[in-house]
Amino acid sequence: MKIKKAELAAVAVKKEQYPPEDLPEIAFAGRSNVGKSSLFNMLVNRRNFARVSGNPGKTRTINFFEVNGNFRIVDLPGYGYAKVSRSMSREWGAMMERYLENRPNLLKVVQLVDIRHEPTAQDVQMYEYLKYHGLDGIVAATKSDKISRNAMAKNLAVIRRTLGMKPEDIIVPVSSLKKTGCEELLGRLEELLGGQERIPVSGGQE
């Protein structure tokens, strides 16, 4: 899949600000400093498509981007930034939960983790939450240019084990700096858009 066109469709805090449920959506979630904006810039091949901030935790909205006129990628607020107040953290969490649990056209959430480090407790909590709601299964391991090839297999195994990923779950190592992993990740998105459907969970596991 090639992304030929991408534009901001909506910036939302509450449900009334979401765009219509007429297009499938794939969301991206990760810690505040994991490199999500850089990943978006790489996927759409535009340097300033998503702002890269030196201030982790700055994104406080859910941002919807329409891609190729036929689906959306959704930028969820980063989690785990220590300098954010507890009240703000709770507010972000509630905003994300409303979207993740009630958006019928949401197919999957790609979780971003830093390949250099073992996933944090918050990363694990997020993956378990996604698993409960049937949104798990794809992890993008960012900053892969920062480690050697020899270390990559070991670090990916640590991520898989720590998150409790199933054998069929997918990890894609990516580097926004060297632009590696982009084609594979886009291919995974294309597979998702090829026919998967999801029924939101209410009151129990799927």
Side-chain angles (χ1 to χ4, degrees):
M1 175 173 65
K2 288 188 180 293
I3 293 181
K4 298 178 181 178
K5 183 181 178 183
E7 56 189 6
L8 183 64
V11 175
V13 173
K14 50 191 178 181
K15 184 177 180 180
E16 292 75 18
Q17 298 169 322
Y18 296 171
E21 298 170 359
D22 56 343
L23 294 177
E25 294 171 355
I26 299 170
F28 287 72
R31 287 175 59 82
S32 300
N33 58 352
V34 78
K36 187 150 46 70
S37 294
S38 297
L39 177 64
F40 284 163
N41 291 340
M42 179 181 72
L43 291 176
V44 304
N45 197 27
R46 281 163 56 184
R47 183 173 296 178
N48 297 312
F49 174 71
R51 249 183 240 166
V52 179
S53 173
N55 248 342
K58 195 171 182 180
T59 302
R60 301 175 186 179
T61 56
I62 299 174
N63 302 323
F64 296 80
F65 300 95
E66 188 167 319
V67 179
N68 291 347
N70 57 19
F71 75 100
R72 298 187 193 102
I73 56 176
V74 182
D75 181 13
L76 298 175
Y79 57 84
Y81 187 52
K83 292 184 180 180
V84 171
S85 69
R86 287 187 179 181
S87 61
M88 185 174 290
S89 180
R90 284 195 298 269
E91 181 182 330
W92 292 1
M95 177 172 60
M96 289 173 64
E97 285 178 11
R98 282 194 297 270
Y99 171 73
L100 293 172
E101 295 180 16
N102 299 292
R103 189 69 168 168
N105 52 324
L106 174 62
L107 299 181
K108 192 71 69 176
V109 177
V110 178
Q111 184 171 351
L112 279 63
V113 298
D114 188 328
I115 198 171
R116 300 172 297 176
H117 310 297
E118 181 177 344
T120 67
Q122 287 171 317
D123 289 326
V124 174
Q125 185 179 29
M126 172 59 77
Y127 198 74
E128 289 176 349
Y129 176 88
L130 296 177
K131 187 183 296 183
Y132 180 83
H133 290 283
L135 294 166
D136 63 315
I138 301 181
V139 169
T142 63
K143 307 183 183 182
S144 65
D145 57 285
K146 305 294 186 184
I147 62 171
S148 68
R149 282 183 173 272
N150 290 336
M152 187 174 294
K154 176 185 174 184
N155 289 25
L156 292 175
V158 168
I159 292 170
R160 184 176 286 278
R161 182 175 65 250
T162 305
L163 294 181
M165 298 179 71
K166 300 184 287 290
E168 64 270 22
D169 291 344
I170 297 156
I171 303 182
V172 182
V174 297
S175 166
S176 301
L177 182 65
K178 294 191 174 180
K179 301 191 183 305
T180 55
C182 181
E183 288 189 12
E184 182 179 354
L185 187 54
L186 285 172
R188 298 297 183 182
L189 302 189
E190 188 171 26
E191 289 175 7
L192 283 174
L193 294 164
Q196 280 200 20
E197 294 183 2
R198 172 181 162 270
I199 300 173
V201 176
S202 52
Q205 283 187 309
E206 290 180 334

